[in-house]
Amino acid sequence: MIQNPKRYTITAALPYTNGPIHIGHLAGVYVPSDIYARYLRQQGKDVAFICGSDEHGVAISMKAKKEGITPQEVIDKYNGIIKKSFEDFGISFDNYSRTSAQIHHDTASEFFKKLYQDGKFIEEVTEQLFDEKAQQFLADRFVIGTCPKCGNEEAYGDQCEKCGTSLNATDLINPKSTITGTKPVLKSTKHWFLPLDQYDAFLREWILTGHKNDWKPNVFGQVKSWLDDGLKPRAVTRDLDWGIPVPVEGAEGKVLYVWFDAPIGYISSTKEWAAREGKDWEPYWKDQDTKLVHFIGKDNIVFHCVIFPAMLKAEGSYILPDNVPANEFLNLEGNKLSTSKNWAVWLHEYLTDFPEKQDVLRYALTANAPETKDNDFTWKDFQARNNNELVAIFGNFINRVVVLSNKYYEGIIPQPNALTAVDEAVLTELKAYPAVIASSIERYRFREALGELMNVARLGNKYLADEEPWKIVKENPERVQTQMYVALQIAAALSVLAEPFLPFTAAKLKGILNIDNTFGWNDISTTSDLLPAGHQIGQAALLFAKIEDEEIQKQIDKLEATKVANKAENKIVTPQKEVATFDDFAKLDLRVGTIVAAEKMPKANKLLVLKVDTGIDIRTIVSGIAEHFTPEEVIGKQVTVLANLAPRALRGVESEGMILMTENAEGKLVFVNPDAEGVKNGETIN
C-alpha cells in the first residue's frame, strides 16, 4: 500500500453503451467510487476521477443489427442516456470520455505498437469459427452452443453465463452462428496474443504476496483461482468491422479486442482531462507517488487484476493499481438483474417516479451494498430505509434543530453559556466521527462509513431527546441557548460529513444553515465552533419526504408486469401434432354452448360439474378447471364445446363432452369462446 500519496487516480469501470444504467451498476461501481473521490477532495487531495463509455466490441454490433441501425447510432444514443444518468445522480467524474474518441484511438494504437515493437506479442495463425452464409469470422458473442462444463445449451463463445466458465468459441459443443443460425466452419486466421503465462511469477509476487492483507477476499480469491488454473496466451485482436483497426501491416479487417482497448480508455480519458485542465497527464499514471484505484464489479476482476496489469507491466512505464475494491452483484427482488429481460430499475425511470430523490437511492444502495457478497435490493427495504432512517433519524434531527432555532432565536445562533459534562461529552464524541468515517472510507468499507454518518444524526437526536429544551425554555432560557448551540454544531458537522454519501442533501442542508465552504472535514475534529454565535440560519425545509405504500406498490407491480411479459416471450410453444386430414377434423362436432349451472365435485380439488346448454340439449360436462375458476364465475359463460366426445365417467358422474381451454402467460386457464354478439347456442364451429 502506498503511504501518503501525492495524488490519486481513481477509475470507475467504463459502462458498455448497449443500454442504459441500472441500480446494479450504481451499487457495484459508481456510488462507491464517487464516495471515495468526494471524500478525498474534502481532504484537499489531488484527485483525477476518470471514466467514459466503452463503445467497441461485439455487443455493440449485435445491438445495431437487432435495432436496424449503425453501431455509431447505438453508441451515440446510449452514451447520452448514460452520461445524463451519472450527472443526475451526482457522480462527480473529473472526466467522462468515449472510446470512440480520436484521442482514445490514438492512445490504444500507440500502446499496441509499443508492445508489438518490443516483441511482447505472439503472432499465431489459428482456426476460428467462420459463418459461410454471412461470409465473416464469428466473434465470441456471435456464437452460441453447449457448454462443455455444465451442458448449458445457450453458452456464448467467450463465457457460459450459467456456470461462469471462461470459454473459447471453439470449445462449444454444436456451435451455431447467431447471425444466420447456421453451423459455422473452422477457417484459418492470423491474430496477435499476449502471453499471460509469462507474467505468472510477476502476478503471484505482486498480488498473492504483496496484497494478501489489503485486497478484498473476493478479489484475492478470484485472482488466485485464475493463477492456480494456469494462465494461457490471450488474443488481443479480433476479426470484426467495429473497433480500433490493428495498427500493423497484414492486419487488414482486424480490430483490437475490446478487452484490450477498453482499459486503455482510462489512460486516454486522463489525457483528455489533463489537456483541458492544462495539466501533465503522465504523473497520474507513471509516478510511483500516485495511488491508482480501480472500482469495478466482480465480473471485471480478471481484466483489472490479471490482464490489464500484465499489459501495463509489458509496456514498462506505468504504475500498477494499489487496490481493486470490486463489489459483488446486486440482485433485484430475489432475481438476478438482467438488461435483456428488463429486470432492472433504470436510473432515468427512477427519477421520473421519484423526482429529486437521488440521495434516497444512493443511501439505500450504499446501506445494502454488495461489498463482500451478493445482496438483494427490494422496494420494501428501500421504503424502510427512507422512512425509518433518512426521515425519522437524519431529517427529523435537522428539522427539529432548525425549527426550534427559528422559533426561539429567529434563526440567529445563540451565545452558549457554561457547558455541562453532557455537552462536553457530546462535542467530544462529535469530534471523533470524522476520523472514524474516514478510516472506513479509506478501507473501502462504505456501508460501514454510512452507518457511522447516521450515528452522528442519532447523536443529535439523542441529545435533544435527553435534554428536552422545549420543556425548560421558559424557566431556564440560558441553558436552552447552550443546548441549541451544541445541537447546531452537530447539524453543521452533518452538512460536511454527509457530502460524499448524500451530496444533494448536504448542499440543501448547507443552504438551510446558510453556510458555504467556511469549514471542512478536518475542522470538525479541531473546533467546537463550526457555527459561531450570531450566525443567521435559514428557514426549515424537509430534507426527506416519507414514501407511501402506494408508490412502492406501483414499482412492485411494474416488476410483476415485466415478469409476466418475460414469461410470455420465453414461453415454449407446443410442437405441432401429427397431420390430420379434413375427414379427421370433420368428425369433430364443435358447438357454441352456455354454462347454465356449476358446482364443485365433492372431494376433488380440480373438478367442476357443469350443466351446459349446447343448443341441442342441456348436458353434464365435468371439467378440470376448479383451481382457476369458482362455480359462480363460470355461470353464464359462452364456451366452445366438443359435443360428440364419447361419454366418460369421472368419480361416478358421466361427462358428455369437453370444453375447449387455453392458458395465458401466467399459466391461468382461459376459455376458448366466441366473443361476437348474437352467436346462438348450438351454432357449429367449422
Side-chain angles (χ1 to χ4, degrees), residues 56-57 112 191 236-247 251-258 261:
H56 295 137
F112 180 91
H191 283 292
V236 299
T237 59
R238 269 292 183 263
D239 291 292
L240 202 62
D241 58 0
W242 178 249
I244 299 173
V246 177
E252 292 74 23
K254 300 180 193 297
V255 299
L256 299 182
Y257 199 175
V258 68
D261 108 65

Side-chain angles (χ1 to χ4, degrees), residues 154-169:
E154 294 188 350
Y156 288 110
D158 60 345
Q159 185 182 37
C160 174
E161 294 196 341
K162 187 173 182 181
C163 69
T165 301
S166 182
L167 301 167
N168 289 311

Side-chain angles (χ1 to χ4, degrees), residues 384-503:
R385 298 266 183 203
N386 179 78
N387 294 354
N388 303 339
E389 296 171 24
L390 290 177
V391 174
I393 299 171
F394 195 129
N396 179 59
F397 169 65
I398 296 299
N399 191 58
R400 284 205 289 182
V401 169
V402 176
V403 167
L404 291 176
S405 298
N406 277 283
K407 182 178 179 181
Y408 299 158
Y409 314 112
E410 297 182 335
I412 298 171
I413 295 178
Q415 183 69 45
N417 295 295
L419 298 177
T420 66
V422 171
D423 302 331
E424 295 279 10
V426 166
L427 290 172
T428 300
E429 187 175 344
L430 178 64
K431 288 178 181 179
Y433 273 109
V436 170
I437 296 170
S439 174
S440 295
I441 291 175
E442 289 173 6
R443 288 176 292 133
Y444 312 105
R445 297 181 178 179
F446 304 108
R447 194 170 60 201
E448 179 180 277
L450 182 65
E452 295 297 346
L453 171 70
M454 291 303 290
N455 283 339
V456 178
R458 288 187 177 93
L459 174 69
N461 267 327
K462 185 177 188 303
Y463 178 72
L464 285 181
D466 290 348
E467 294 297 296
E468 299 180 312
W470 48 88
K471 285 189 176 180
I472 63 169
V473 67
K474 288 185 178 177
E475 71 242 26
N476 195 352
E478 293 81 10
R479 175 63 191 144
V480 172
Q481 283 180 223
T482 307
Q483 292 169 340
M484 293 310 303
Y485 176 85
V486 170
L488 282 159
Q489 304 313 307
I490 299 172
L494 280 170
S495 75
V496 171
L497 299 176
E499 201 270 341
F501 310 93
L502 310 170

Side-chain angles (χ1 to χ4, degrees), residues 81-334:
I81 293 172
I82 291 169
K83 195 173 179 184
K84 187 173 188 309
S85 289
F86 286 144
E87 290 167 356
D88 287 343
F89 279 84
I91 309 301
S92 60
F93 299 126
D94 289 301
N95 199 61
Y96 190 84
S97 190
R98 307 178 63 172
T99 60
S100 60
Q102 189 60 48
I103 193 170
H104 176 69
H105 276 241
D106 294 343
T107 303
S109 296
E110 288 163 11
F111 199 104
F112 180 91
K113 283 190 284 189
K114 172 76 163 57
L115 268 59
Y116 177 80
Q117 289 161 2
D118 291 350
K120 301 295 184 179
F121 294 135
I122 299 169
E123 188 178 305
E124 283 187 10
V125 175
T126 60
E127 298 272 287
Q128 295 202 0
L129 297 178
F130 185 81
D131 187 324
E132 291 182 302
K133 189 172 180 181
Q135 279 298 295
Q136 71 176 72
F137 282 99
L138 296 173
D140 300 333
R141 289 272 157 164
F142 281 131
V143 187
I144 60 168
T146 301
C147 172
K149 287 277 182 84
C150 73
N152 171 28
E153 294 181 355
E154 294 188 350
Y156 288 110
D158 60 345
Q159 185 182 37
C160 174
E161 294 196 341
K162 187 173 182 181
C163 69
T165 301
S166 182
L167 301 167
N168 289 311
T170 50
D171 296 334
L172 295 174
I173 302 165
N174 299 322
K176 70 176 181 180
S177 165
T178 62
I179 299 171
T180 63
T182 59
K183 184 176 181 179
V185 298
L186 286 171
K187 189 174 179 179
S188 297
T189 183
K190 180 171 69 175
H191 283 292
W192 288 265
F193 292 75
L194 182 65
L196 290 176
D197 49 312
Q198 294 180 16
Y199 299 89
D200 182 87
F202 147 68
L203 290 166
R204 287 180 181 277
E205 173 64 25
W206 173 53
I207 299 174
L208 300 190
T209 301
H211 285 293
K212 63 182 178 182
N213 295 321
D214 61 311
W215 280 21
K216 292 170 74 170
N218 58 317
V219 178
F220 187 88
Q222 193 176 133
V223 173
K224 186 176 186 305
S225 176
W226 256 69
L227 293 173
D228 289 347
D229 281 348
L231 299 177
K232 301 175 183 63
R234 195 170 178 102
V236 299
T237 59
R238 269 292 183 263
D239 291 292
L240 202 62
D241 58 0
W242 178 249
I244 299 173
V246 177
V248 296
E249 284 187 29
E252 292 74 23
K254 300 180 193 297
V255 299
L256 299 182
Y257 199 175
V258 68
W259 68 255
F260 182 87
D261 108 65
I264 297 172
Y266 299 137
I267 301 169
S268 60
S269 184
T270 307
K271 284 184 177 181
E272 189 176 77
W273 165 75
R276 187 183 68 242
E277 299 295 323
K279 293 175 176 280
D280 179 5
W281 72 272
E282 289 203 359
Y284 292 88
W285 280 95
K286 297 186 176 184
D287 192 318
Q288 293 300 321
D289 286 330
T290 297
K291 184 168 183 171
L292 173 62
V293 182
H294 295 312
F295 283 87
I296 56 169
K298 74 174 176 182
D299 51 338
N300 273 321
I301 289 173
V302 168
F303 295 106
H304 287 74
C305 299
V306 175
I307 297 170
F308 190 40
M311 290 164 55
L312 297 174
K313 182 73 172 174
E315 199 279 343
S317 67
Y318 286 85
I319 59 173
L320 298 171
D322 186 74
N323 213 313
V324 186
N327 273 352
E328 298 292 289
F329 288 151
L330 184 74
N331 296 321
L332 173 59
E333 297 286 354

Side-chain angles (χ1 to χ4, degrees), residues 15-19 53-57 59-61 63-64 67 69-83 96 98-101 105 242-243:
Y16 210 46
T17 45
N18 65 337
S53 290
D54 181 0
E55 301 184 335
H56 295 137
I60 303 296
S61 299
K63 188 80 170 181
E67 296 190 6
I69 56 178
T70 66
Q72 188 66 47
E73 287 173 312
V74 170
I75 63 174
D76 287 347
K77 173 184 175 181
Y78 289 113
N79 176 70
I81 293 172
I82 291 169
K83 195 173 179 184
Y96 190 84
R98 307 178 63 172
T99 60
S100 60
H105 276 241
W242 178 249

Side-chain angles (χ1 to χ4, degrees), residues 556-631:
I556 294 170
D557 291 345
K558 187 191 290 187
L559 286 174
E560 284 303 314
T562 295
K563 197 178 284 186
V564 171
N566 286 335
K567 199 170 181 181
E569 190 174 322
N570 299 321
K571 187 174 173 64
I572 298 171
V573 178
T574 304
Q576 180 178 298
K577 296 180 180 179
E578 290 181 25
V579 172
T581 66
F582 178 79
D583 289 342
D584 292 331
F585 178 72
K587 291 177 183 177
L588 301 177
D589 188 346
L590 297 170
R591 294 180 183 259
V592 176
T594 299
I595 300 173
V596 295
E599 63 181 6
K600 292 232 6 189
M601 170 80 78
K603 298 181 181 178
N605 293 330
K606 295 183 178 181
L607 301 180
L608 289 184
V609 180
L610 310 175
K611 295 290 184 182
V612 182
D613 181 350
T614 65
I616 309 167
D617 53 19
I618 294 178
R619 64 178 64 183
T620 300
I621 297 177
V622 179
S623 185
I625 62 174
E627 291 182 328
H628 297 262
F629 300 98
T630 64

